[in-house]
Amino acid sequence: MLNSGDVMSPALTRAKTGPKSAQARGPRLTKATVSAIVSAAILSGGLASTPSYAQLAPETPSVETPFGRAPLSFADVIEKVKPSVVSISVVAGGKNVAGKTGKNGLPEGFPDIPEDSPFYDFFKNLPKEFRNAPQQQRPTQAQGSGFIISADGYVVTNNHVIDGANKIQVSFDDQEKLDAELVGTDPRTDIALLKIKANGKQFPAVKFAAKPARVGDWALAVGNPFGLGGTVTAGIVSALGRDIGSGPYDFLQIDAAVNKGNSGGPTFNLSGEVLGVNTAIFSPSGGNVGIAFAVPAVTATEVIDQLKKSGAVSRGWLGVKIQNVDEDTAAAVGLSEPKGALVNEITPNGPAMNSGLKVQDAIIAVNSEKIADSRDLARKIANYAPDTTVDVKVWRGNKEENVKIKLGKFPGSSDEIAKLEQGGGGPEDQTSTDLEQLGLKLAPVKNGEGVSIMEVDPESDAAEKGVKAGDVIIEVGGSSVAGAADVAEGVKKAKEMGRTAVMVYIKSADQRRVVALQLKKS
């Protein structure tokens, strides 16, 4: 907010008080010129008539909404939805923690007193009950946005807005503040559901859009950026299906200005329906650069329904690690196109452990639904309830196979997933074998499975795909290996089958992955 004493920007100052330059004055109009303009106006229908939107752009049809033709003004739709948008205030921390000793030997929080000071011994020799007394953490405050989805006070916001909160309040445009309690959260989609403590009070609510957004649709963001509640910005839906690295779910991309504090707020369409929940921005500086991301309405509604019922979201879990099938992988396993998800590890004690699914299987369909890539598989599996049995179609050994798997419940954290099996050791000695076809130098492994990679040709396909010295090759072409001869045999078989690449199962530290390595031409 600008106060009377604030200094305006140079551009605004010049526009208001700048000198009357020749550029500012512009060309002078003679009486003859004015007369000609007036005559032309009279001939075309008069100066008083103002061209309509349709007259200005007859080739662009207008869009009818409950608020008239778009995009003449957003005022009507904002007037309708704004009372349902709230600001979220959160207080976190403030708990007692055990007292600690600082680097200078004094209780943590005491000044850095030199050891030769007469006060040093006094503070250092404080009784134990003073030295180790619980200390009060300073509470932290945060702000975000949210919106009401039911008259009885359910509020949608982001999980990261209320994470760790001790106290949550919602604020309305009329400055009314009400306490709210947490119903449930879903970190994977960054959705949180709150309930206002209102003793039967009714609230204005908005609803989610039934139709999915399209690229080019208007997008109106309402929220609480930088604590400035009730802020409205406008833009369009810039893209669909964005992957922002937070699981298998896709996000909307919008160019309406979204900043810190907009998190959890809604993006509306011109009918006043919620297209998505604003959750993240892309910005090198931390401010708006015209790229923001929102959880689509269809995803948000599925999550909210489960949070209302149980306070948590249950998702199906296959218990495998997967990767995309790229062109080299497709060539190595004999697929006609790079589609599907390749299994590179099966989680011990997971749902797929004893199902018959194998490492290097390419999953190409689930319950007859084709799989495009690894994210598509993760999303489809997550949409099934735990304990659902699914029919998984895989590509294995140049033909299709079907495996039935009873899904488990997706673990809430990585700690709930069994640790991956580890094994193998360093190379037994420096005796190595060159495998020119792959650009690798191999050596036996001590007390473990597979064959160790001693060197990688920096010009090879293996180097380009991140294979490095110290990695261990466990399988080649689906067959286990115990030495360099087995790797060479796997390469030979791939060439005899007319393949231009071979599947190699590699262990790197505690991670395992499948890599399709191109074969060098003889």
Side-chain angles (χ1 to χ4, degrees):
M1 180 180 294
L2 288 175
N3 297 320
S4 58
D6 290 332
V7 178
M8 293 187 292
S9 68
L12 289 175
T13 303
R14 283 195 300 271
K16 187 176 184 69
T17 62
K20 296 179 180 179
S21 63
Q23 183 179 1
R25 288 193 299 268
R28 297 183 62 186
L29 296 177
T30 64
K31 290 182 178 180
T33 304
V34 172
S35 176
I37 292 174
V38 172
S39 299
I42 293 172
L43 289 174
S44 64
L47 289 171
S49 89
T50 302
S52 67
Y53 175 80
Q55 289 174 326
L56 289 174
E59 71 282 0
T60 304
S62 59
V63 180
E64 292 292 338
T65 75
F67 310 99
R69 291 181 176 178
L72 297 181
S73 174
F74 305 124
D76 289 331
V77 63
I78 295 302
E79 184 177 339
K80 176 183 176 181
V81 302
K82 197 175 177 185
S84 303
V85 182
V86 297
S87 298
I88 308 288
S89 301
V90 170
V91 177
K95 298 179 180 179
N96 289 333
V97 294
K100 298 179 181 178
T101 300
K103 293 181 180 179
N104 59 355
L106 301 179
E108 192 175 63
F110 278 76
D112 189 11
I113 301 173
E115 294 186 16
D116 58 356
S117 168
F119 295 102
Y120 182 83
D121 289 336
F122 171 77
F123 286 115
K124 187 173 183 179
N125 296 322
L126 281 172
K128 184 178 181 180
E129 57 267 24
F130 289 99
R131 173 183 296 277
N132 297 319
Q135 299 175 6
Q136 181 77 12
Q137 280 186 338
R138 181 174 296 178
T140 59
Q141 294 186 342
Q143 291 184 325
S145 304
F147 55 99
I148 301 170
I149 59 168
S150 64
D152 55 350
Y154 279 100
V155 176
V156 174
T157 186
N158 280 156
N159 172 65
H160 76 260
V161 170
I162 51 81
D163 190 29
N166 297 330
K167 182 179 181 180
I168 305 172
Q169 279 191 326
V170 298
S171 303
F172 296 82
D173 266 358
D174 61 5
Q175 307 304 314
E176 182 183 16
K177 291 186 178 181
L178 295 172
D179 291 335
E181 59 184 359
L182 180 62
V183 176
T185 65
D186 180 40
R188 295 200 88 194
T189 55
D190 199 21
I191 293 291
L193 185 65
L194 313 176
K195 181 71 163 59
I196 300 174
K197 299 176 182 179
N199 296 323
K201 183 176 179 179
Q202 298 291 290
F203 300 93
V206 291
K207 64 179 182 179
F208 285 96
K211 294 183 179 179
R214 301 175 303 163
V215 173
D217 281 348
W218 283 106
L220 309 177
V222 186
N224 184 34
F226 306 111
L228 302 172
T231 298
V232 180
T233 55
I236 62 168
V237 176
S238 306
L240 306 175
R242 289 301 196 205
D243 174 12
I244 64 174
S246 60
Y249 294 99
D250 294 328
F251 290 77
L252 300 178
Q253 179 183 325
I254 63 173
D255 71 349
V258 171
N259 287 285
K260 292 179 180 179
N262 273 111
S263 290
T267 288
F268 293 103
N269 60 21
L270 292 187
S271 296
E273 300 168 328
V274 179
L275 290 176
V277 184
N278 299 324
T279 192
I281 62 174
F282 176 82
S283 173
S285 63
N288 170 61
V289 294
I291 298 179
F293 303 100
V295 182
V298 62
T299 302
T301 51
E302 291 172 356
V303 169
I304 291 164
D305 287 344
Q306 290 199 52
L307 292 180
K308 270 188 177 182
K309 293 176 182 176
S310 62
V313 177
S314 295
R315 296 183 173 89
W317 181 46
L318 200 57
V320 295
K321 287 193 174 183
I322 51 179
Q323 64 190 58
N324 290 337
V325 175
D326 57 20
E327 291 184 358
D328 288 338
T329 303
V333 301
L335 280 170
S336 59
E337 57 180 347
K339 297 284 187 180
L342 192 74
V343 177
N344 62 26
E345 188 169 350
I346 297 177
T347 304
N349 302 318
M353 183 66 183
N354 299 312
S355 66
L357 196 67
K358 297 181 179 180
V359 171
Q360 298 188 37
D361 280 350
I363 298 177
I364 56 178
V366 173
N367 286 349
S368 300
E369 288 188 90
K370 292 184 178 180
I371 301 299
D373 52 29
S374 59
R375 291 187 70 246
D376 186 33
L377 173 63
R379 183 168 51 248
K380 282 184 168 64
I381 293 297
N383 286 337
Y384 288 104
D387 296 327
T388 301
T389 298
V390 294
D391 186 14
V392 179
K393 182 180 290 185
V394 302
W395 180 261
R396 178 195 301 165
N398 267 349
K399 62 180 181 179
E400 294 181 356
E401 301 276 355
N402 287 288
V403 180
K404 290 190 179 296
I405 302 175
K406 185 179 180 180
L407 301 179
K409 180 180 178 182
F410 187 86
S413 69
S414 58
D415 293 337
E416 297 178 32
I417 303 177
K419 291 184 177 180
L420 302 178
E421 292 179 335
Q422 298 185 20
E428 190 173 55
D429 52 43
Q430 295 301 311
T431 303
S432 60
T433 302
D434 286 327
L435 194 62
E436 186 179 354
Q437 286 291 307
L438 299 179
L440 303 175
K441 182 176 285 189
L442 308 175
V445 168
K446 178 178 64 177
N447 300 325
E449 59 181 341
V451 58
S452 179
I453 298 174
M454 297 293 296
E455 295 181 17
V456 181
D457 180 357
E459 302 297 324
S460 67
D461 184 52
E464 184 175 336
K465 291 177 177 173
V467 178
K468 58 186 183 300
D471 289 350
V472 176
I473 297 177
I474 301 171
E475 295 180 7
V476 174
S479 299
S480 300
V481 300
D486 294 330
V487 179
E489 181 65 20
V491 170
K492 179 182 177 183
K493 288 181 179 179
K495 293 183 66 178
E496 289 174 350
M497 296 173 68
R499 304 280 169 79
T500 58
V502 64
M503 299 299 297
V504 181
Y505 191 30
I506 292 178
K507 180 174 65 177
S508 179
D510 61 346
Q511 300 292 323
R512 300 185 182 209
R513 63 189 179 116
V514 180
V515 184
L517 297 181
Q518 293 181 10
L519 300 175
K520 290 184 178 179
K521 294 180 180 180
S522 302

